[in-house]
Amino acid sequence: MLPTEEQRAQPDAPARIFKDDTRFALGRIAVFQYAAVTIFFVLITGFWVLQIRDRQSNNELAERNRVKTVPLLAPRGKILDRDGRVIVDNQPTFTVRLTRENLRMEHIPAIAAGLNLDPDDLRARVIRIQHQPKYVPMTLKQGLTPGELAFVESHRDPETFPELELIQSQGRLYPRDGFAAHVIGYVGEVSEQELNSADFAKYSQGDIVGKFGLERQYNDILTGVDGQRRVVVDSLGVERQRLENTDPVPGHALQLTIDLDLQAVAELAMEGKRGAIVALDPRNGEVLAMVSRPAFDPNLFATRIRNDDWKALTGDPQNPLMNRAIQAQFAPGSTFKPIETVAALDTGTIDENFTVVCNKGATFYGHFYHCDERHGALNLHQAIVHSCDTYFYTVGNKLGIDAIAEYADMAGLGKRTGIDLPGEASGLMPSPKWKLQTQHEKWYAGETISVAIGQGAVQVTPIQLATAIGGIAEGGVWYKPHLVRTDTQPEPLRRATWGASAIAASVNGMCGVVNEGGTGSSARINGIEVCGKTGTAQKVSLDLAKSGKVGRDLAKENGWFVGFAPKDNPEIVVVALWEASGHGYASAPIVRDVIKAYFDKKARLAMPKPQQIALFLRPQ
Amino acid sequence: MTEFSEAFLEPRKKDRISKFNIAAIVLIPLAAILFQVYVPRFVTYLSYLELPLLVTVYFALMRRSPVQGVLFGAGIGLAQDSLSSHPLGMFGIVKTLVGYFAASVSQRFDVDNPLVRLVLAFFFFFFHQFFYWVLSRALLGEVVPFELQQTLVLAILNAVVAVPLFHILIS
Amino acid sequence: MEFLLNRYRNLTVLLLAVVAQLVLLAYQVKSNGEVRLIRVWAVTAVTPLARVIETARSATSHFFSDYFVLLDVREENQRMQNELDRIEMENQYLRTQLDTAERAKALQIFQASSPSKTLAAHVIGNGTGSGAKVVIVDRGSVSGVQKGMAVIEPYGIVGKVVDVYPTAAFVLLITDPTFAAGVISNKNRVRGTLKGQGHSTVIVDYVENEQKLDPGEWFYTSGDDRIFPKGLPVGEAAVVRPGKTHKEIFVTPSGFQNGLEEVLIVMDGVHGNIPEAPANDQRDQPVHLLAPPPAEPSEISAAPAGASGATGMPAMPTGATRTGPASDADRIVEEYRRIGEAEKHVYGERGTGAPDYNAPAGITRTDPKPADAKPKDPAKQNP
């Protein structure tokens, strides 16, 4: 810089910028000095970069400080109803992971508290995976609530809990209040046990898999393929550069045969009750609705389920995790009578005019068998309508256990229906052969009397009963019940060569039950020909129930109702099981509401659309 | 600077090296830091004034001893670091260098000239900000953009403040 | 050697000083270590001075404001406001002083009424770092302050303690980019995470786009972060708009609009004992400037399925039901529930006869779109 005129003019500002021109010679030394300082800094910086900042990355690329692989979790496929309406959706969720290289064990209680985890459980989990390499992060919790998210965000700074790491993923969004919970099932982290099984061989620790219901059954279809993102992060964990992206491939959507309208009505009808509802289309086996109550909230499982919640669910005597629609095995009671009717007529054991006089029961083989009422003289039709036990004791006795078992077997009792849900129970249709095999005892003729009214050793599941009665109503054709929709008409599972008149008599009887002042009158719907049959089934013997030695709940009878409509070419068959309701007629309105929902929806969709323009008419 | 050059300059420097008593050496930087910590609470834009830096430059220029410049800069820088939330040493290193270079420069420039002071204050502010940015990027791996325009404007502002400030400090 | 060291004494000292500090830095960066001692010295040296200045300043301002309160300051202010520019400026100053006095009073009232145990502290300085929003308060470990404690004032939250020294503590303000806290809105009960931005507004993140939130709604601390007790005001949602993954919500913090002087450090804030809304006596305070106290939040959750809490699900563990957006399934259940109510029909009960699901008007149906592409038409529900 050169001195200016102004500076020269100022007396107290010396005219020279450089204090001493002779010292210019020293400049060379100064240059050397600065050069030395610069070189020194270059060296220091290089040293720093290698030794301090990037040391770990040089040692181990996968370590957190340089290149990091962030998984991009593929969303599972949605689950839709038969009309494409969403039953199970995904929602963006956050997962917090523990980067174990900077984990401090003393932070665990605080982290567990903030994330609503059990500290002991968390500590145990950390110790359990200690043998794995440090750079493998541990999933702490999935599906963080907004509150837990706030906790993580406000504590994951380097000063507080630097071991917390947040990743975004797609979590399951199940309907509220356990809606269709047993059908849908739930997902969860794959267990060590599952990892060792063939079904889950391709998964690794921390993966989310279907655990129950359809989520389990169709896990492979619903599961997508995870992607990943490789990023360079700085020492503070801030993303600096993206290396490459492999996009996740979402899982396939699953379209069910479930109709949300029917399912909703069925759920509402079962509120506060214990039992199950199954609604089928008997023409192809499509399950239109399936409810089991008490239910559980699958959203509890959408993330890692808390120990407390798990204990509450598994320890509940009502067993909410049981899908009663396919797993509850109870005596069918009088709902067994339509099958027996077909057997009796088809074998020619009786005809429709066969009459029995009911004296509030009858004596067979030296033992008196009760009937609810003194029905007097009835023919077959009247016996079905009023559900006279005396009549069917007599018919069963004439028919014999082998014939009963043969027809029941054809209708599908005593064996799994093959529905596409895991864990279906098989029910039980007793026969002399069965008794000999399992109990090594001879069949007593008295047992046939009990079986004849759906008691004794007979056990059915709601799905079995719905399939059996639906198949009879359809004229003796049974389809495999299924929950996933296909476009093709399935092949029938079995086709009976039963006489049409035998079947018609049975169906007519069931129509009388609803429409002729029978036990199922409350299932009546104006304008729709609903047919059905009540069933009241003891869980323990009458004597034991009266003795008061068993709980009130056990002593109370289960109420069944199986109904279908219309009478000819039925489109829907519904079974309702209300445990410990006392009588089958209590279940009839449940079935009525579901059937009505089916026909109302059909009418609603067929209704012509009113003219929009009408809305804009000038008011009078 | 070398021993040799200092010895060479001895007679001239004598009347020029400002003498500070211990109290001033301790209190003025403390006041500067206090100012930076306290005053911006009420007048926000005063936070753009880097008084500790200006004081460092001033001391280094007046004392003309690189050693003292280094120690002074390091001291005031570390004190500033202590009151921040970033790792200790960032301001320290930068101010150490500023102290050193300011003292070195003072031996070659006429530091009593207000224009020179203006230019030096401008230069050192810019140097300070730039080097701080380099350090945080290189050493801490922080990715913060360097705002050139803002830094230049602030450098001018600080330089303008520096001239009268130095004048006040002398008296 | 001695000659060399002598000859390059300056350079040696420089290098020594720089290397020493580099080592210091390296130690801190590499091992996440903390060099407490130097900080403690510096903070202990600076803070008492700042405290003295602050005490002197606030004492003066209190004196002035007390004086003017006696002189019926409202009239005074009114008169002054009508005067010329010179006096207007003076008036401005006086008003600021008055605010200070009222604030101090409000602080006392709040501290006395708040269920949390708090400790009053003066802000004696700003942190010196670049970018970070940190203030220094004049209470430290001697007074029992600990790292992680919440710092509040009557009108809103301020920040949290990040560093503690014997006589001072550093408070990270809610406006700092690394700050986060759990918040909940007062009307729609929307939960989110408050995050600082580095400037005066803050944002609330992680609120689903589907969730309802009105601009002007107030956010309160939710207690989820385990830092702030539940129910402290945070600020008003100034802008609410849908974003890419989550709603974009900008909040004007109610805490320190007019500068920070006195704050309260929450020494013991037990969530359970904190009411949903802040104490009502805020309403009675003679404070005219900030934070209208919000209405008591309604007891019913704003979720559309509010009624579903009454559904008889004996086995459902309580308190864990989903609160997120509704799927078609949830909507359809609600539709049928409302149809049942409209028809006075109890599902599955005898006596009432079969309901007519198509009759009730005014219930939007989530019907499937028929294959022949008839658009969904709510009007067809009209009888």
Side-chain angles (χ1 to χ4, degrees):
Chain A
M1 177 166 304
L2 290 172
T4 59
E5 283 301 314
E6 293 81 35
Q7 278 170 330
R8 272 182 222 281
Q10 283 174 8
D12 55 331
R16 304 154 301 156
I17 296 288
F18 294 106
K19 284 187 294 187
D20 193 336
D21 294 339
T22 63
R23 294 191 59 250
F24 251 148
L26 290 172
R28 240 179 286 165
I29 299 173
V31 166
F32 166 75
Q33 206 182 359
Y34 294 139
V37 171
T38 314
I39 291 168
F40 166 75
F41 270 104
V42 169
L43 289 177
I44 280 282
T45 311
F47 168 81
W48 181 283
V49 167
L50 288 175
Q51 285 303 313
I52 310 293
R53 208 183 65 187
D54 298 350
R55 201 178 145 219
Q56 283 164 327
S57 67
N58 291 337
N59 291 349
E60 200 169 0
L61 258 181
E63 284 239 336
R64 177 164 172 262
N65 268 353
R66 296 304 288 155
V67 177
K68 193 161 123 176
T69 305
V70 182
L72 298 172
L73 304 178
R76 281 175 85 81
K78 291 183 181 183
I79 298 181
L80 311 170
D81 92 332
R82 62 182 301 116
D83 299 312
R85 295 175 291 184
V86 180
I87 305 176
V88 179
D89 207 341
N90 294 308
Q91 60 177 353
T93 60
F94 289 89
T95 300
V96 60
R97 303 199 302 183
L98 207 59
T99 52
R100 294 185 299 131
E101 63 254 30
N102 40 13
L103 168 69
R104 298 239 206 98
M105 282 311 258
E106 64 262 30
H107 289 168
I108 284 186
I111 291 174
L115 293 171
N116 303 312
L117 295 168
D118 179 27
D120 297 330
D121 179 45
L122 178 57
R123 194 174 291 119
R125 277 167 60 200
V126 170
I127 291 167
R128 212 180 304 141
I129 62 163
Q130 235 162 16
H131 61 274
Q132 291 189 9
K134 279 261 188 223
Y135 59 82
V136 177
M138 186 186 114
T139 303
L140 263 182
K141 189 167 191 179
Q142 280 144 349
L144 299 184
T145 64
E148 288 156 354
L149 199 55
F151 174 81
V152 174
E153 281 281 38
S154 56
H155 287 92
R156 69 191 180 112
D157 50 308
E159 306 275 298
T160 322
F161 302 141
E163 56 266 62
L164 296 180
E165 184 189 46
L166 204 57
I167 52 173
Q168 191 168 5
S169 60
Q170 295 282 316
R172 270 318 209 194
L173 180 72
Y174 294 113
R176 296 194 182 98
D177 299 333
F179 182 94
H182 298 89
V183 179
I184 302 162
Y186 53 81
V187 292
E189 207 173 293
V190 65
S191 68
E192 307 246 346
Q193 215 175 347
E194 284 168 328
L195 278 174
N196 295 330
S197 72
D199 283 0
F200 296 96
K202 63 175 180 176
Y203 296 95
S204 52
Q205 188 124 37
D207 283 348
I208 295 296
V209 296
K211 292 271 192 179
F212 184 71
L214 290 171
E215 290 272 28
R216 167 72 184 260
Q217 184 83 17
Y218 292 102
N219 185 49
D220 288 347
I221 293 174
L222 291 166
T223 307
V225 182
D226 290 349
Q228 65 174 33
R229 196 175 70 204
R230 276 160 57 82
V231 289
V232 179
V233 291
D234 63 23
S235 62
L236 293 177
V238 178
E239 225 175 274
R240 290 183 63 177
Q241 195 194 340
R242 289 190 174 188
L243 292 181
E244 67 225 359
N245 252 7
T246 322
D247 288 330
V249 183
H252 295 284
L254 201 60
Q255 186 162 31
L256 305 188
T257 56
I258 294 281
D259 186 325
L260 274 180
D261 286 273
L262 273 63
Q263 183 75 22
V265 169
E267 295 279 354
L268 289 169
M270 280 309 283
E271 253 177 20
K273 302 182 176 76
R274 183 154 53 91
I277 296 179
V278 174
L280 292 179
D281 186 336
R283 297 168 297 179
N284 48 27
E286 288 183 353
V287 178
L288 302 173
M290 182 183 278
V291 176
S292 172
R293 294 270 159 160
F296 59 95
D297 184 356
N299 290 296
L300 289 177
F301 295 87
T303 65
R304 171 182 281 272
I305 186 163
R306 287 178 59 117
N307 258 351
D308 293 354
D309 289 337
W310 178 248
K311 277 181 197 148
L313 283 174
T314 48
D316 191 317
Q318 307 245 16
N319 201 356
L321 287 175
M322 175 188 194
N323 183 357
R324 290 177 151 74
I326 60 167
Q327 291 175 322
Q329 307 179 81
F330 288 118
S334 305
T335 56
F336 188 73
K337 289 172 187 168
I339 301 170
E340 196 186 346
T341 301
V342 177
L345 291 175
D346 195 53
T347 52
T349 311
I350 58 163
D351 62 14
E352 285 183 50
N353 301 319
F354 177 73
T355 305
V356 168
V357 179
C358 170
N359 281 314
K360 213 175 179 190
T363 304
F364 298 93
Y365 309 107
H367 185 85
F368 186 75
Y369 291 84
H370 288 273
C371 185
D372 288 343
E373 275 175 58
R374 195 179 305 276
H375 290 107
L378 331 91
N379 63 13
L380 175 66
H381 186 79
Q382 290 164 325
I384 299 174
V385 169
H386 300 288
S387 200
C388 175
D389 287 349
T390 313
Y391 189 94
F392 283 94
Y393 294 140
T394 314
V395 171
N397 191 35
K398 285 168 86 80
L399 200 54
I401 185 64
D402 288 319
I404 296 175
E406 187 198 323
Y407 279 81
D409 179 69
M410 182 55 123
L413 302 194
K415 55 189 171 201
R416 293 189 182 88
T417 62
I419 187 170
D420 44 355
L421 278 178
E424 191 193 354
S426 61
L428 180 64
M429 187 58 223
S431 65
K433 204 174 134 200
W434 161 82
K435 198 175 175 193
L436 205 63
Q437 272 174 1
T438 56
Q439 295 174 16
H440 310 292
E441 273 181 41
K442 196 171 145 281
W443 183 266
Y444 297 104
E447 291 175 73
T448 310
I449 310 298
S450 294
V451 169
I453 57 153
Q455 293 283 173
V458 194
Q459 284 193 333
V460 299
T461 62
I463 186 79
Q464 270 177 350
L465 191 60
T467 315
I469 300 296
I472 291 172
E474 210 56 48
V477 188
W478 290 270
Y479 291 91
K480 188 158 119 182
H482 56 274
L483 281 155
V484 171
R485 208 170 172 193
T486 51
D487 290 331
T488 50
Q489 168 69 20
E491 282 300 305
L493 209 56
R494 291 183 302 278
R495 202 184 279 276
T497 50
W498 297 344
S501 63
I503 291 172
S506 180
V507 168
N508 280 331
M510 287 194 270
C511 273
V513 169
V514 177
N515 300 303
E516 294 166 20
T519 48
S521 301
S522 48
R524 214 177 122 85
I525 303 171
N526 284 335
I528 302 167
E529 223 172 352
V530 180
C531 314
K533 184 71 196 81
T534 54
T536 309
Q538 296 157 222
K539 282 176 280 185
V540 292
S541 77
L542 216 56
D543 297 337
L544 191 61
K546 278 183 184 160
S547 71
K549 278 180 194 156
V550 291
R552 212 166 58 94
D553 204 48
L554 258 182
K556 249 184 141 186
E557 286 131 330
N558 289 333
W560 287 95
F561 189 83
V562 50
F564 58 89
K567 181 181 163 192
D568 301 318
N569 303 315
E571 296 168 22
I572 177 170
V573 54
V574 183
V575 164
L577 163 69
W578 184 356
E579 287 178 35
S581 66
H583 197 283
Y585 56 67
S587 302
I590 301 174
V591 171
R592 170 201 66 198
D593 284 356
V594 177
I595 290 179
K596 184 71 160 64
Y598 175 85
F599 286 101
D600 275 3
K601 183 183 178 190
K602 201 175 161 190
R604 194 161 74 238
L605 294 183
M607 212 188 294
K609 198 168 63 131
Q611 292 291 307
Q612 276 279 356
I613 195 101
L615 293 171
F616 301 106
L617 284 181
R618 193 191 299 267
Q620 301 281 310
Chain B
M1 269 295 134
T2 60
E3 241 357 70
F4 165 72
S5 63
E6 264 179 42
F8 182 77
L9 286 166
E10 189 67 14
R12 267 180 183 237
K13 268 176 77 184
K14 204 111 201 166
D15 55 338
R16 294 203 163 211
I17 294 175
S18 311
K19 291 265 190 289
F20 300 104
N21 56 31
I22 298 293
I25 291 180
V26 174
L27 285 183
I28 291 177
L30 204 58
I33 291 177
L34 209 58
F35 179 90
Q36 212 202 4
V37 161
Y38 188 71
V39 175
R41 283 182 48 216
F42 305 102
V43 194
T44 322
Y45 53 84
L46 282 185
S47 64
Y48 296 124
L49 266 192
E50 258 283 345
L51 274 195
L53 171 72
L54 298 184
V55 169
T56 308
V57 172
Y58 171 76
F59 266 79
L61 289 182
M62 290 299 120
R63 293 294 290 182
R64 287 161 206 235
S65 156
V67 172
Q68 290 186 24
V70 162
L71 296 180
F72 191 82
I76 205 164
L78 283 178
Q80 221 182 341
D81 278 327
S82 302
L83 295 169
S84 75
S85 41
H86 59 230
L88 283 183
M90 299 289 288
F91 277 132
I93 292 172
V94 179
K95 287 213 163 57
T96 304
L97 291 171
V98 168
Y100 178 78
F101 287 123
S104 304
V105 160
S106 74
Q107 289 170 354
R108 220 147 322 128
F109 291 96
D110 176 12
V111 291
D112 289 334
N113 185 328
L115 190 68
V116 173
R117 285 181 180 177
L118 187 80
V119 170
L120 285 180
F122 173 84
F123 170 75
F124 279 117
F125 182 86
F126 188 83
F127 174 83
H128 178 267
Q129 298 300 90
F130 180 73
F131 208 79
Y132 183 86
W133 175 76
V134 168
L135 273 190
S136 56
R137 204 183 158 99
L139 302 189
L140 298 185
E142 281 172 11
V143 199
V144 276
F146 185 71
E147 284 161 14
L148 185 67
Q149 265 186 326
Q150 197 198 348
T151 312
L152 286 176
V153 170
L154 290 181
I156 292 168
L157 179 97
N158 278 272
V160 168
V161 172
V163 175
L165 179 77
F166 288 2
H167 207 77
I168 294 166
L169 287 178
I170 283 173
S171 50
Chain C
M1 188 65 205
E2 197 180 316
F3 167 74
L4 265 181
L5 276 183
N6 240 346
R7 184 178 163 84
Y8 297 107
R9 194 173 54 129
N10 295 340
L11 206 57
T12 315
V13 171
L14 172 71
L15 294 189
L16 274 180
V18 170
V19 168
Q21 293 181 73
L22 275 175
V23 169
L24 191 71
L25 259 176
Y27 168 71
Q28 294 171 78
V29 172
K30 244 192 91 177
S31 59
N32 250 331
E34 180 61 86
V35 192
R36 288 284 301 174
L37 210 55
I38 300 176
R39 282 190 199 268
V40 171
W41 287 342
V43 171
T44 319
V46 173
T47 48
L49 279 174
R51 194 176 190 166
V52 168
I53 300 173
E54 169 66 21
T55 314
R57 189 199 60 81
S58 75
T60 327
S61 66
H62 281 194
F63 170 76
F64 275 111
S65 52
D66 285 352
Y67 178 71
F68 282 111
V69 166
L70 285 174
L71 287 183
D72 191 9
V73 77
R74 275 179 205 283
E75 260 184 44
E76 188 77 357
N77 274 352
Q78 198 55 52
R79 190 176 61 78
M80 281 173 145
Q81 242 167 359
N82 298 333
E83 288 190 19
L84 292 171
D85 284 356
R86 192 181 57 80
I87 301 181
E88 170 65 25
M89 280 183 68
E90 209 178 308
N91 191 11
Q92 207 63 42
Y93 171 76
L94 289 175
R95 264 196 285 179
T96 325
Q97 298 307 323
L98 242 189
D99 286 353
T100 311
E102 285 180 350
R103 259 201 304 236
K105 213 163 149 194
L107 199 76
Q108 281 170 8
I109 296 171
F110 179 83
Q111 197 179 7
S113 63
S114 167
S116 297
K117 206 180 123 208
T118 57
L119 175 74
H122 285 267
V123 175
I124 54 166
N126 281 5
T128 50
S130 57
K133 301 280 180 187
V134 172
V135 296
I136 306 164
V137 296
D138 66 348
R139 298 287 195 155
S141 52
V142 172
S143 314
V145 177
Q146 287 172 12
K147 186 178 156 181
M149 282 181 170
V151 180
I152 61 172
E153 64 159 17
Y155 310 107
I157 61 169
V158 172
K160 65 172 180 182
V161 176
V162 283
D163 270 310
V164 186
Y165 301 97
T167 56
F170 283 26
V171 175
L172 185 76
L173 297 181
I174 63 169
T175 49
D176 187 273
T178 63
F179 183 90
V183 293
I184 184 167
S185 76
N186 66 335
K187 237 169 74 193
N188 289 311
R189 291 315 184 89
V190 172
R191 276 169 197 270
T193 300
L194 181 86
K195 285 178 174 175
Q197 300 250 81
H199 47 82
S200 61
T201 50
V202 293
I203 56 166
V204 174
D205 204 354
Y206 307 134
V207 174
E208 307 279 344
N209 276 326
E210 293 88 349
Q211 278 175 286
K212 196 175 136 49
L213 180 79
D214 305 321
E217 225 173 289
W218 272 77
F219 276 101
Y220 288 83
T221 52
S222 63
D224 295 319
D225 49 43
R226 312 282 172 120
I227 297 171
F228 292 95
K230 191 174 178 179
L232 297 169
V234 173
E236 190 178 2
V239 178
V240 180
R241 58 178 181 229
K244 218 172 99 192
T245 51
H246 292 99
K247 262 192 163 63
E248 287 180 2
I249 304 162
F250 294 90
V251 170
T252 321
S254 57
F256 39 88
Q257 290 297 300
N258 288 29
L260 265 181
E261 289 177 17
E262 286 115 348
V263 293
L264 296 172
I265 302 171
V266 181
M267 308 293 285
D268 184 14
V270 185
H271 296 301
N273 301 333
I274 312 292
E276 285 284 301
N280 272 339
D281 51 352
Q282 249 198 74
R283 217 184 288 260
D284 308 326
Q285 283 162 26
V287 179
H288 61 269
L289 64 164
L290 280 171
E296 280 282 336
S298 58
E299 288 150 26
I300 310 146
S301 117
S308 66
T311 60
M313 289 198 56
M316 185 98 81
T318 49
T321 42
R322 187 166 64 70
T323 53
S327 68
D328 288 343
D330 295 331
R331 274 192 288 275
I332 291 169
V333 173
E334 277 319 299
E335 282 162 28
Y336 278 96
R337 194 186 296 283
R338 269 179 292 157
I339 290 168
E341 281 161 14
E343 299 243 310
K344 295 191 171 48
H345 174 73
V346 184
Y347 287 98
E349 290 291 310
R350 307 172 74 200
T352 46
D356 183 353
Y357 299 108
N358 295 345
I363 294 169
T364 321
R365 300 292 279 266
T366 314
D367 273 338
K369 290 174 189 71
D372 52 341
K374 275 189 227 158
K376 196 161 81 178
D377 182 19
K380 84 180 170 210
Q381 303 303 331
N382 293 334

